[in-house]
Amino acid sequence: MAIPKRYALLLLLLFCSLAVSTAQRKERWEEEEEEEGERRYGGGQERMFMLEKPMQVVKGEGGEFTVFRGFKRRETATPMHIGFITMEPSTLFIPQYMDADLIFFVRRGEMRIGWIYKDDFVEKHLKIGDVYRIPAGSAFYIVNIGRGQRLQLICSIDTTHKKGIFQSFYIGGGSKPPSVIAGFGTRTLTTAFNVTEEVLTEILEGPKAGAFVPVTRPDLLRGWVELMNRKHNEMRDEEINGSWDDEEDKEEVLSVREEEKEEEEQSSALWSWRKLLNTVLGEDKKKKKKKSSPSSAVKAPDAFNIYERDPDFRNNYGWSVAVSHRDYSPLRRSDVGVYLVNLTAGSMMAPHFNPTATEYGVVLRGTGTIQVVFPNGTSAMDAEVREGEVFWIPRYYPFCQIASRSGPMEFFGFSTSSRPNSPQFLAGRSSILNSMGRDEMATALDIDAKRYDRFRGSQREEIILPELLMPPEETTTGFIAERV
């Protein structure tokens, strides 16, 4: 039976009304998100784009993990947060996984990170300047191996939840923080680990040292050590007592096990965490009786050291490096870029905007000023910054960074795109004012073409500009000022 035209028209109008209403609610929700973010971080317009309210994720005697929360904007699917991890010497950040991609930058110290990559356990040694990615859902631990030196990490936290919520799921731990393993029923766990209920209770209600554990205190991990040793020994005995095609293969495995035993005696606590990741998360696969071909071996990506990379730009007033997925392929999966800028005393990163990404930055050393401009041409922020402070720049918003005259300023950060960065500069020899049509720009500024030529040609430097010692004076050949 055909639907009368008037009913069809009413249904169409109703559908359009619902679609418009949904779109309006979505737009209003996004506006409220932005307004809430500005209220959260603003503290007034002067510091609107500074992230100044850190959230403490976990803290203990051996370390601390704090996060500066970002917030969602229309051009980003999920917000990015900036995390700071500080660890005392010889400290373990216990095994866990997160529902967010992590990109670490080693600011100070040395570390060893162990994690599960393609169902295999791998370890990497990272040093100052290294950048390394751990994907969401991959179990990992971190050990500060610097002798007498505190470890400091800066990380981007790229959440998978549209509201920006992220969570750590601890695998190790006792009553504080609790292990996710403890959430299963007693019968399930005694069967899974093949231990008695008494042993299980002792382990799960045992250590209370927190998320940061001294590796020089294996007694704090006694329960987990016992459980992992039991599981590891069972698998070892099964492997050694099995059938062998070649006596040399058996001797090779026995030799490897002897080396493992020596390492276990040297650091029983840390070795137990390695076995935990192998036996609980991924199968502790038996060593193959024949060596695998090099092409079949699983190799986790290495770290990328940003200090060892040649700058993309350098002059007498500073240098800058931008790392994209072309330089470090793991960045592609998170769609996050990394950058590092060093400005000499008084110099300026020329006013520019980023057409492809929002930027987050951390001042590593020195002091300076960050200026941001609203789309309507008014000042959005003109704030002094110092070491340790976090700022962010929305996509498309014009901005510049200026080092104080007292010394150089260095800042590191992340961008929300892994593609090669193409900043558009508004001043300097390589600015878009020099690229666009001369007559059209002169007309837009309501000045004659010759004066416009003098105006745009007065700055002979590009990208990173020197400090002015005195205000410029216009001459017949241009605007001349004494420079540093």
Side-chain angles (χ1 to χ4, degrees):
M1 180 178 177
I3 300 176
K5 289 184 178 180
R6 59 180 180 180
Y7 291 128
L9 181 60
L10 286 173
L11 287 173
L12 179 60
L13 290 173
L14 178 61
F15 175 79
C16 291
S17 176
L18 288 173
V20 170
S21 177
T22 301
Q24 289 176 340
R25 284 199 302 270
K26 182 176 183 294
E27 183 177 358
R28 179 56 187 162
W29 177 80
E30 290 176 341
E31 290 175 353
E32 289 175 352
E33 283 283 298
E34 293 185 21
E35 291 171 1
E36 193 277 331
E38 291 175 1
R39 286 195 300 271
R40 186 196 310 164
Y41 298 120
Q45 183 170 301
E46 293 180 355
R47 298 180 67 83
M48 177 176 290
F49 298 108
M50 302 298 298
L51 306 186
E52 299 184 298
K53 295 183 179 180
M55 176 184 69
Q56 188 179 93
V57 179
V58 63
K59 183 178 181 179
E61 293 184 4
E64 183 178 13
F65 181 20
T66 59
V67 171
F68 289 83
R69 294 178 57 196
F71 61 93
K72 184 181 181 300
R73 291 185 62 83
R74 298 181 188 182
E75 71 272 10
T76 57
T78 57
M80 178 187 289
H81 310 302
I82 304 300
F84 290 79
I85 299 175
T86 303
M87 296 174 58
E88 297 298 326
S90 301
T91 299
L92 166 73
F93 193 14
I94 66 175
Q96 62 187 280
Y97 61 92
M98 294 183 65
D99 56 353
D101 286 356
L102 301 174
I103 297 178
F104 293 105
F105 168 69
V106 183
R107 184 185 181 190
R108 290 193 179 98
E110 292 182 79
M111 62 180 274
R112 182 163 59 244
I113 185 166
W115 65 294
I116 299 298
Y117 175 74
K118 293 185 177 180
D119 295 331
D120 281 344
F121 173 73
V122 295
E123 270 192 333
K124 294 291 181 180
H125 179 186
L126 306 184
K127 61 182 184 299
I128 293 176
D130 278 347
V131 175
Y132 201 69
R133 174 181 179 267
I134 298 294
S138 294
F140 70 94
Y141 65 73
I142 296 173
V143 182
N144 179 2
I145 59 175
R147 294 184 177 180
Q149 185 175 15
R150 181 176 292 176
L151 175 68
Q152 293 184 352
L153 305 176
I154 300 173
C155 62
S156 68
I157 304 172
D158 191 19
T159 62
T160 57
H161 193 283
K162 68 179 182 179
K163 282 287 190 179
I165 301 169
F166 67 95
Q167 180 67 53
S168 293
F169 297 79
Y170 293 101
I171 301 166
S175 58
K176 185 180 181 181
S179 167
V180 293
I181 296 174
F184 294 98
T186 301
R187 183 176 180 82
T188 300
L189 292 177
T190 54
T191 302
F193 286 99
N194 192 27
V195 296
T196 65
E197 185 174 339
E198 290 73 21
V199 171
L200 187 67
T201 301
E202 180 183 355
I203 291 170
L204 296 181
E205 296 180 359
K208 301 177 182 179
F212 297 94
V213 179
V215 294
T216 54
R217 291 280 309 280
D219 57 295
L220 295 174
L221 304 173
R222 183 177 60 253
W224 282 108
V225 169
E226 181 180 334
L227 177 59
M228 291 303 105
N229 281 340
R230 184 189 299 260
K231 289 286 293 181
H232 187 67
N233 290 338
E234 288 176 359
M235 301 181 76
R236 179 196 61 191
D237 294 341
E238 179 184 350
E239 181 175 354
I240 293 176
N241 295 329
S243 59
W244 296 90
D245 296 332
D246 192 328
E247 189 65 26
E248 291 183 0
D249 290 336
K250 183 174 181 179
E251 291 178 359
E252 181 181 352
V253 170
L254 290 173
S255 175
V256 170
R257 293 307 184 191
E258 188 63 30
E259 293 176 2
E260 292 177 351
K261 183 178 179 181
E262 292 177 2
E263 185 173 356
E264 182 175 356
E265 291 174 352
Q266 294 173 4
S267 182
S268 60
L270 182 56
W271 182 239
S272 297
W273 290 121
R274 293 174 184 166
K275 287 184 288 185
L276 172 64
L277 291 181
N278 272 309
T279 58
V280 177
L281 300 177
E283 294 183 5
D284 191 2
K285 301 176 181 178
K286 298 178 181 179
K287 291 189 177 291
K288 295 183 178 180
K289 298 176 183 178
K290 294 184 179 180
K291 294 182 179 180
S292 302
S293 62
S295 60
S296 64
V298 174
K299 186 178 185 302
D302 292 324
F304 181 93
N305 193 281
I306 198 168
Y307 288 123
E308 295 175 358
R309 154 80 183 275
D310 291 334
D312 299 303
F313 176 82
R314 180 194 291 273
N315 63 12
N316 293 332
Y317 314 107
W319 50 265
S320 66
V321 176
V323 181
S324 71
H325 64 245
R326 293 181 182 176
D327 306 297
Y328 186 48
S329 60
L331 295 177
R332 184 192 299 271
R333 294 189 175 275
S334 296
D335 197 22
V336 171
V338 176
Y339 68 88
L340 178 67
V341 177
N342 184 291
L343 303 176
T344 62
S347 64
M348 170 200 302
M349 176 66 77
H352 63 287
F353 64 93
N354 191 330
T356 60
T358 293
E359 297 183 14
Y360 293 81
V362 179
V363 181
L364 298 183
R365 65 187 179 101
T367 59
T369 302
I370 296 178
Q371 297 181 1
V372 186
V373 177
F374 279 127
N376 64 7
T378 61
S379 174
M381 184 179 81
D382 186 355
E384 294 183 359
V385 295
R386 61 181 184 273
E387 182 177 335
E389 291 194 315
V390 184
F391 61 90
W392 69 285
I393 310 295
R395 183 181 180 184
Y396 303 119
Y397 279 47
F399 68 102
C400 69
Q401 297 102 339
I402 308 168
S404 66
R405 299 182 66 181
S406 61
M409 180 172 74
E410 184 173 272
F411 51 94
F412 165 88
F414 305 94
S415 62
T416 58
S417 173
S418 67
R419 291 176 293 173
N421 192 17
S422 299
Q424 302 294 298
F425 286 90
L426 301 171
R429 194 177 62 190
S430 59
S431 75
I432 58 177
L433 271 67
N434 283 324
S435 302
M436 298 188 73
R438 167 179 177 260
D439 294 338
E440 288 77 9
M441 285 300 303
T443 301
L445 294 172
D446 195 23
I447 58 177
D448 62 72
K450 290 184 178 180
R451 190 161 190 248
Y452 177 69
D453 285 340
R454 293 197 301 270
F455 170 71
R456 68 177 181 175
S458 296
Q459 179 56 264
R460 300 181 180 89
E461 301 293 339
E462 61 180 339
I463 301 179
I464 300 179
L465 311 179
E467 177 190 9
L468 286 176
L469 288 182
M470 57 182 293
E473 295 181 0
E474 185 176 4
T475 69
T476 56
T477 58
F479 293 82
I480 305 301
E482 185 180 355
R483 299 184 181 278
V484 175

